[in-house]
Amino acid sequence: MFSAAQIKRLKTKPTPFFFYDTPLLLKTLQAMRKAAEKNNAEVHYALKANANKKILKIIQRFGFGADCVSGNEVSRAVECRFPSSKIVFAGVGKTDDDIINALKKNIACFNCESADEIKVINALAARMNKKANISIRINPNVNAHTHHYITTGLEENKFGINTWELPEVMQITGKCRHIVFTGLHFHIGSQVTEMGPYKTLCVRINELQRWFESRRIRLQSINVGGGLGVDYGKPDKNPVADFEGYLRIFKKFLELRPGQKLHCEPGRALVAQCGSLISRVLFVKKGRQSNFIILDAGMTELIRPALYQSHHKIENLTGPGRNKVVSYDVNGPVCESSDCFGKAIDLPETKRGDLIAIRSAGAYGESMALDYNLRPRAKSYMSEEI
Ligand SMILES: *Cc1c(COP(=O)(O)O)cnc(C)c1O
């Protein structure tokens, strides 16, 4: 929600740009921290949702750790003062350079996704005369009931190690003298809006705990990954995700052993709602079936609609007060027909120069930006900078 004074100031900036509402970000982080303290969970923020330095510095102050999926993300987390003892490194394709970089920085843990990866980390750690903590990312074969491109915990997905591979993987790990096995990692998918899949995940983890116990292998930590969804349809009604309800599921259904730590890795739920992509209307034109709005922001700034058919709330910030409501297809300028933010969207009658806000763009917006069509990178402003 934007105040009249804010809109006046937004109008003075060249578009497109990302606008981040700092008070809402702080409120969200406070809610997460409170829920984590109450349910005894450790939070690692998933940098890939938004790695903007201004945002990372705020998140870091809350005492959260960082979940990284590339060598550059590990470096960015260190640069933004996340303690290396709170940095974990996941990803199905870690390069040797990524691994060496992370070993040099003494990160807390590698979340390993294949037997080959464990052998490579062991060899590189041996060369550096170090020991690497690892968790094994297990593919729990749980359906997250989200878009198939952001489902990650099914056996058909490339992520993690399948449970039937575990005996062999544990045997290999046992022989790696530069590896310290610390626990299990999971991540079933993103924009998960029902709690059912997390309950199923708990049941799978409980079974796995018994398997490890029967082999007398101790697990220090259980990392349940990220994925908690946000309300893209009603960002003003539900600006803060239900972190308490989410963590309560694990408290209730996950059978943690004494001394075991619960870790979680929210990305989207911490940053999505505080961000908006602000854009100007370049042209309004009539098609045979619909009216087209052409914006100066597109899939190069926010690729989610083109990539996952997702919907973001679209608002004309300069339109209120106009009586007539018109249905529009809201498009970006990029030379792809998928470069469209929404079809048949009712907006106040819209004109060239109007300011449009695409809401809930704080996660997987700026971090997924492209320079396709040689478009420049959009700037970003925190609310206090506007
Ligand atoms: C992407 C990812 C996350 C964060 O997912 P969100 O849906 O943004 O919460 C957490 N952990 C891992 C391993 C990931 O790949």
Side-chain angles (χ1 to χ4, degrees):
M1 200 109 68
F2 297 91
S3 69
Q6 250 173 351
I7 293 170
K8 211 169 149 189
R9 291 194 295 271
L10 291 172
K11 269 160 82 175
T12 65
K13 301 281 180 196
T15 47
F17 59 89
F18 287 93
F19 170 86
Y20 297 114
D21 179 348
T22 307
L24 178 56
L25 175 62
L26 293 172
K27 195 174 150 193
T28 308
L29 295 169
Q30 274 150 9
M32 177 80 259
R33 184 163 64 188
K34 193 167 160 221
E37 278 168 1
K38 197 165 156 194
N39 294 284
N40 213 4
E42 265 178 41
V43 177
H44 292 91
Y45 166 65
L47 252 75
K48 74 175 193 279
N50 190 324
N52 181 310
K53 290 179 196 173
K54 291 177 271 190
I55 291 203
L56 290 182
K57 283 176 186 160
I58 294 175
I59 294 177
Q60 174 276 126
R61 292 207 309 263
F62 278 73
F64 299 154
D67 165 42
C68 303
V69 290
S70 74
N72 280 350
E73 281 193 2
V74 170
S75 299
R76 175 70 60 90
V78 171
E79 183 191 339
C80 293
R81 296 175 183 272
F82 285 88
S84 52
S85 61
K86 287 187 181 178
I87 296 176
V88 299
F89 184 12
V92 70
K94 302 175 185 77
T95 66
D96 291 19
D97 282 348
D98 288 344
I99 295 167
I100 291 166
N101 175 47
L103 284 168
K104 275 188 193 150
K105 295 195 159 78
N106 296 316
I107 63 159
C109 189
F110 291 84
N111 294 328
C112 296
E113 309 216 13
S114 65
D116 277 357
E117 181 191 331
I118 295 170
K119 289 185 215 162
V120 169
I121 293 174
N122 182 57
L124 293 172
R127 230 204 273 159
M128 296 167 73
N129 206 9
K130 290 191 177 236
K131 285 200 173 205
N133 290 332
I134 70 153
S135 269
I136 289 181
R137 174 165 176 179
I138 292 180
N139 184 329
N141 202 24
V142 171
N143 191 339
H145 298 293
T146 181
H147 189 278
H148 60 283
Y149 281 6
I150 46 175
T151 294
T152 53
L154 287 175
E155 280 187 1
E156 70 201 54
N157 301 128
K158 67 182 173 185
F159 299 99
I161 289 170
N162 293 308
T163 47
W164 40 267
E165 298 172 277
L166 259 183
E168 193 196 334
V169 168
M170 287 313 298
Q171 204 187 9
I172 291 167
T173 304
K175 286 189 197 141
C176 290
R177 289 194 300 127
H178 290 265
I179 293 282
V180 181
F181 173 71
T182 62
L184 302 181
H185 175 236
F186 305 84
H187 175 65
I188 59 172
S190 202
Q191 184 53 16
V192 180
T193 51
E194 313 158 17
M195 291 301 136
Y198 287 118
K199 229 158 106 175
T200 312
L201 175 64
C202 290
V203 173
R204 295 284 152 79
I205 299 175
N206 293 340
E207 288 165 11
L208 284 162
Q209 288 256 47
R210 288 191 280 278
W211 187 89
F212 279 95
E213 265 167 358
S214 73
R215 277 157 189 78
R216 300 183 193 287
I217 302 171
R218 210 180 99 73
L219 304 171
Q220 290 168 34
S221 63
I222 303 289
N223 183 336
V224 296
L228 180 62
V230 300
D231 191 341
Y232 282 100
K234 297 193 183 71
D236 292 319
K237 186 161 169 255
N238 295 310
V240 180
D242 182 11
F243 299 115
E244 173 63 36
Y246 163 74
L247 287 180
R248 215 183 302 126
I249 295 282
F250 297 103
K251 191 163 196 177
K252 190 159 168 205
F253 296 100
L254 191 61
E255 295 163 2
L256 285 182
R257 306 299 190 259
Q260 252 178 8
K261 267 292 197 192
L262 174 68
H263 291 195
C264 67
E265 303 174 329
R268 184 191 310 274
L270 294 186
V271 292
Q273 299 291 32
C274 75
S276 291
L277 175 58
I278 309 294
S279 172
R280 266 193 183 79
V281 175
L282 289 173
F283 304 108
V284 181
K285 59 185 217 170
K286 276 200 190 318
R288 182 174 285 280
Q289 275 132 18
S290 36
N291 302 298
F292 297 113
I293 288 174
I294 313 292
L295 298 177
D296 63 4
M299 64 190 284
T300 40
E301 288 70 44
L302 182 65
I303 201 176
R304 299 188 66 258
L307 195 58
Y308 321 124
Q309 290 121 18
S310 61
H311 295 280
H312 289 250
K313 192 165 182 238
I314 301 170
E315 287 170 6
N316 185 333
L317 299 181
T318 35
R322 294 178 203 157
N323 288 330
K324 199 166 152 197
V325 171
V326 182
S327 167
Y328 295 102
D329 289 1
V330 182
N331 292 279
V334 175
C335 304
E336 298 288 334
S337 292
S338 61
D339 184 30
C340 176
F341 289 117
K343 290 195 190 292
I345 307 292
D346 282 340
L347 292 173
E349 187 171 32
T350 296
K351 300 189 250 195
R352 171 172 167 84
D354 278 351
L355 213 56
I356 301 286
I358 300 171
R359 303 288 308 274
S360 317
Y364 305 105
E366 204 179 345
S367 65
M368 288 181 112
L370 315 166
D371 61 4
Y372 183 41
N373 290 189
L374 284 187
R375 285 168 54 77
R377 284 290 169 117
K379 283 196 170 158
S380 68
Y381 299 97
M382 305 306 289
S383 44
E384 66 275 14
E385 297 174 317
I386 286 273

